[in-house]
């Protein structure tokens, strides 16, 4: 049995046979140690071969001790501090070049909301500050109360934590929009106009590099390429098609995660690459060596998620975000504004069960909490094939309407083609804890001895999950508790202030499927008054809050 599950198989099987407490998770709020109006959880420390925190004998100190990385915001990003190009699709820079009008046009043509003036105004004011004004820091990064600010940094983001708990991300300076940072440093990066780091195993780091800085007079018209590096070697992955510059379009690419298959003698990376007509398509990068910087690389397009489908640009862009040791790949594809589905140009979530398959095809999440055309954001996947993120919790029409609310979810996917037979028992037992189906995480924090504490929070986003089962997340908090335990409960009858906070969801030792007590919905709505944000205003988080990693 591989080391990733070696210590957890027995623990999970034992826990399934023991009595459980109500609720599956305890919500643990994390103090950021930096200032900011809103606090977001972005990554959780890997647990390696540690035992499952669902085990009846799991140590609460160990399980609550996995470090959470996060960031603060005082205002939304002008456009994402993480993405290679504006809105993760504007590789002609046409929208962003037109300042406020461009922001409004993007919303109108690619999102379709009836509230685009409001949407654009808030983001334009941030972009103006970052580009033409004082550039006051907005994104302050931290790891469990300790600030993470590289020298000269203005805005800093953390995309992941490496196995030693070191941050992996990028930051802006007065001369560069993005500069990568991780424990793996390489002198080649400093010669690049821009660089971004997404994931690291402590020896290798993956990300992208760009040809111009994205600052001042060079803030438009730059190209980027996927990259992987060690302390001594650097490799830029070739474009899959097209040209670096084609008319008004500039080639883009990025590697977001990777896995080294030592037994198979290959390295698998995931992200997106540039294809014909300058399309930015979800991609699996395959290196023919277990030494990534010595490998010859090729790009495998993920079909069903690409931009051009049967001659129409069905999607505006797509990206594979994560890969695990079972070669399971997850990602998302942003539906084009010209081809809405079920009333929304949504960001749909997908899975590829086997990165090594001869034909790579995406399957979009569907069934249960995943309705037709549901949009969301991918968070991550662990080696139990448990997937987290956020998903639409409403299905009204967004096009010419308002944005749907979203909630955090967990999806225990189960067996996949590359799952080792020695690991099947552990994965099966772990999946049974969730009754073999996907859940909104709010349904798994309800009831039992933690109910009072947990009722202060409604979980908006789940950004990462480790093998022990601990999740990094973002929640809306009503101090002292919501008026009821229902999904749509008010905070002080709608009159109390709510806050956006970073939280860890820590499995309660010994919990199993019998502990699940789904939240109800209050049937009678009352009009909110006063200054409180209101949990019913989670839409505001979608419109103005921080969008992690990938605003597709």
């Amino acid at each position: 049995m591989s080391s990733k599950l070696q210590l957890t198989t027995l623990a999970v099987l034992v826990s399934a046979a023991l009595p459980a407490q109500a609720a599956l998770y305890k919500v643990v709020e994390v103090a950021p140690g930096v200032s900011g109006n809103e606090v977001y959880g972005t990554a959780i420390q890997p647990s390696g071969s540690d035992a499952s925190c669902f085990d009846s004998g799991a140590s609460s100190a160990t399980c609550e001790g996995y470090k959470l990385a996060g960031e603060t915001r005082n205002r939304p990003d002008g456009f994402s501090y993480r993405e290679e190009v504006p809105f993760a699709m504007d590789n002609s820079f046409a929208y962003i070049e037109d300042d406020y009008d461009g922001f409004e046009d993007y919303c109108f043509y690619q999102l379709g909301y009836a509230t685009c003036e409001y949407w654009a105004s808030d983001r334009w004011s941030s972009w103006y500050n970052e580009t033409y004004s004082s550039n006051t820091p907005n994104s302050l990064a931290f790891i469990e109360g300790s600030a993470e600010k590289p020298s000269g940094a203005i805005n800093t983001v953390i995309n992941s934590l490496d196995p030693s708990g070191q941050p992996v991300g990028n930051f802006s300076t007065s001369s560069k929009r993005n500069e990568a940072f991780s424990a793996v440093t390489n002198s080649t990066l400093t010669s690049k106009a821009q660089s971004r780091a997404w994931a690291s195993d402590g020896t290798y780091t993956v990300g992208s590099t760009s040809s111009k800085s994205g600052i001042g007079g060079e803030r438009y018209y730059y190209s980027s390429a996927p990259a992987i590096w060690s302390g001594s070697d650097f490799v830029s992955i070739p474009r899959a098609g097209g040209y670096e510059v084609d008319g008004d379009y500039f080639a883009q690419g990025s590697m977001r995660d990777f896995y080294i298959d030592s037994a198979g003698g290959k390295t698998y990376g995931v992200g997106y690459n540039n294809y014909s007509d300058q399309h930015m398509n979800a991609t699996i990068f395959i290196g023919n060596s277990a030494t990534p910087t010595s490998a010859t690389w090729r790009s495998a397009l993920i079909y069903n998620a690409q931009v051009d489908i049967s001659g129409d640009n069905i999607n505006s862009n797509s990206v594979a975000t994560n890969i695990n040791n079972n070669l399971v790949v997850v990602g998302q594809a942003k539906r084009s504004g010209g081809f809405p589905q079920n009333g929304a140009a949504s960001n749909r979530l997908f899975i590829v069960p086997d990165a090594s398959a001869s034909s790579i095809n995406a399957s979009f999440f569907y069934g249960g909490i995943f309705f037709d055309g549901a949009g969301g954001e991918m968070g991550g996947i662990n080696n139990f094939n448990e997937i987290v993120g956020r998903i639409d919790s409403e299905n009204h029409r967004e096009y010419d309407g308002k944005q749907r609310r979203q909630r955090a979810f967990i999806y225990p996917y189960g067996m996949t083609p590359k799952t080792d037979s020695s690991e099947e028992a552990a994965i099966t037992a772990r999946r049974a804890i969730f009754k073999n189906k996907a859940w909104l995480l709010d349904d798994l924090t309800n009831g039992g001895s933690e109910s009072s504490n947990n009722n202060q929070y409604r979980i908006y986003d789940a950004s990462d999950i480790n093998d022990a089962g601990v999740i990094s997340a973002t929640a809306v908090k009503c101090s002292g508790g919501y008026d009821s335990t229902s999904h749509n409960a008010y905070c002080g009858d709608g009159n109390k202030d709510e806050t956006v906070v970073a939280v860890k969801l820590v499995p309660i030792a010994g919990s199993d499927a019998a502990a699940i007590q789904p939240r109800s919905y209050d049937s009678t709505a009352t009009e909110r008054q006063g200054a409180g944000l209101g949990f019913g205003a989670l839409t505001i988080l979608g419109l103005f809050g921080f969008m992690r990693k990938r605003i597709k």
Side-chain angles (χ1 to χ4, degrees):
M1 179 178 289
S2 69
S3 60
K4 70 178 184 282
L5 296 181
Q6 188 172 8
L7 298 181
T8 60
T9 304
L10 180 60
V12 173
L13 292 173
V14 170
S15 69
L18 295 175
Q21 304 175 46
L24 290 185
Y25 295 98
K26 176 182 179 180
V27 182
V28 178
E29 186 175 345
V30 175
V34 293
S35 61
N37 293 337
E38 298 178 346
V39 186
Y40 297 84
T42 63
I44 197 70
Q45 181 180 358
S47 58
S49 58
D50 292 352
S52 168
C53 288
F54 286 105
D55 175 18
S56 61
S59 165
S60 60
T62 298
C63 293
E64 293 185 25
Y66 295 113
K67 298 290 183 69
L68 177 142
E71 301 154 17
T72 63
R73 292 291 190 277
N74 293 315
R75 59 184 186 274
D77 306 3
F79 71 86
S80 172
Y81 300 129
R82 293 178 160 82
E83 293 292 348
E84 280 75 19
V85 294
F87 315 121
M89 58 80 68
D90 184 16
N91 57 340
S92 71
F93 298 89
Y95 285 124
I96 205 72
E97 185 179 27
D98 288 341
D99 293 334
Y100 170 82
D101 289 342
F103 280 85
E104 188 173 16
D105 284 346
Y106 171 77
C107 180
F108 181 80
Y109 290 110
Q110 291 297 331
L111 302 177
Y113 305 147
T115 54
C116 281
E117 289 185 9
Y118 201 23
W119 188 97
S121 177
D122 210 51
R123 283 162 176 76
W124 157 246
S125 63
S126 285
W127 173 243
Y128 182 90
N129 177 76
E130 294 162 13
T131 308
Y132 305 112
S133 188
S134 62
N135 207 1
T136 304
N138 183 36
S139 180
L140 303 180
F142 65 91
I143 300 177
E144 291 278 327
S146 298
E148 293 291 332
K149 186 177 181 182
S151 177
I154 298 172
N155 292 309
T156 306
V157 295
I158 296 176
N159 294 317
S160 62
L161 295 175
D162 72 14
S164 298
Q166 297 301 304
V168 182
N170 52 271
F171 62 96
S172 62
T173 68
S174 58
S175 60
K176 291 186 178 182
R177 177 167 175 83
N178 284 286
E179 186 163 343
F181 74 101
S182 72
V184 180
T185 59
N186 186 293
S187 59
T188 302
L189 293 174
T190 60
S191 68
K192 300 294 184 178
Q194 290 191 75
S195 57
R196 297 163 176 82
W198 284 88
S200 179
D201 65 358
T203 301
Y204 299 97
T205 298
V206 297
S208 67
T209 58
S210 300
S211 61
K212 289 186 179 181
S213 71
I215 293 292
E218 295 187 326
R219 64 183 176 271
Y220 309 129
Y221 318 134
Y222 52 83
S223 63
S224 62
I228 184 166
W229 61 90
S230 65
S232 56
D233 296 300
F234 177 91
V235 175
S236 181
I237 309 298
R239 287 184 296 276
Y243 305 92
E244 182 175 6
V245 181
D246 186 3
D248 295 333
Y249 294 89
F250 294 77
Q252 308 294 333
S254 179
M255 192 180 295
R256 301 297 176 86
D257 198 7
F258 71 108
Y259 172 65
I260 297 175
D261 180 8
S262 298
K266 292 183 178 181
T267 302
Y268 295 88
V270 298
Y272 71 89
N273 208 342
N274 183 81
Y275 291 80
S276 60
D277 294 327
Q278 301 299 83
H279 290 156
M280 299 159 58
N281 288 326
T283 296
I284 296 174
F285 304 100
I286 303 171
N288 64 354
S289 171
T291 304
T293 51
S294 299
T296 298
W297 289 87
R298 66 181 179 89
S299 295
L301 174 70
I302 298 178
Y303 288 94
N304 297 336
Q306 75 268 31
V307 171
D308 187 328
I309 298 177
S310 300
D312 291 318
N313 289 351
I314 300 298
N315 297 307
S316 64
N317 65 299
S318 60
V319 60
T321 58
N322 304 91
I323 184 171
N324 70 4
N325 294 3
N326 300 315
L327 299 187
V328 181
V329 175
V330 292
Q332 55 199 31
K334 167 67 174 68
R335 193 87 175 183
S336 171
F339 293 89
Q341 180 182 11
N342 193 21
S346 56
N347 196 45
R348 298 178 298 157
L349 309 184
F350 67 76
I351 187 166
V352 176
D354 180 8
S356 68
S358 57
S359 180
I360 305 296
N361 294 281
S363 296
F364 290 97
F365 291 5
Y366 184 73
I369 63 173
F370 306 114
F371 59 85
D372 184 35
E377 290 288 326
M378 188 60 72
I381 183 172
N382 65 11
N383 292 312
F384 284 92
N385 297 337
E386 294 165 346
I387 304 165
V388 297
R390 71 175 187 261
I391 197 71
D392 288 342
S393 60
E394 300 174 327
N395 63 358
H396 61 254
R397 183 180 178 84
E398 282 192 323
Y399 227 75
D400 298 324
K402 64 178 182 178
Q403 189 174 0
R404 297 165 178 164
R405 291 189 191 127
Q406 295 183 334
R407 306 277 184 92
F409 73 86
I410 185 167
Y411 181 13
Y413 189 76
M415 299 303 151
T416 54
K418 290 297 182 181
T419 301
D420 190 281
S421 59
S422 63
E423 299 162 357
E424 290 184 3
I427 292 178
T428 298
R430 184 91 151 228
R431 191 167 186 253
I433 294 173
F434 302 96
K435 299 184 179 180
N436 305 314
K437 66 177 184 178
W439 293 88
L440 297 179
L441 281 165
D442 279 338
D443 283 324
L444 307 182
T445 63
N446 186 35
S449 59
E450 292 296 335
S451 185
S452 179
N453 170 69
N454 287 358
N455 193 45
Q456 296 182 103
Y457 307 94
R458 296 294 184 268
I459 313 302
Y460 168 64
D461 184 35
S463 56
D464 196 10
I465 182 170
N466 65 21
D467 286 348
V470 181
I471 299 169
S472 60
T474 301
V476 180
K477 180 182 181 181
C478 176
S479 185
Y482 284 89
D483 294 353
S484 74
T485 61
S486 66
H487 278 289
N488 56 340
Y490 293 141
C491 180
D493 199 27
N495 296 311
K496 286 179 62 177
D497 287 335
E498 294 166 274
T499 54
V500 179
V501 298
V503 298
K504 289 184 285 192
L505 301 185
V506 181
I508 297 172
S511 292
D512 63 10
I516 298 175
Q517 298 183 33
R519 296 183 186 274
S520 62
Y521 286 88
D522 289 337
S523 58
T524 303
T526 58
E527 184 177 351
R528 297 176 183 276
Q529 299 180 9
L533 171 66
F535 179 65
L538 263 180
T539 301
I540 292 177
L541 286 177
L543 288 170
F544 305 109
F546 160 53
M547 295 297 197
R548 179 184 180 267
K549 291 187 188 175
R550 310 156 294 263
I551 307 179
K552 297 288 186 288

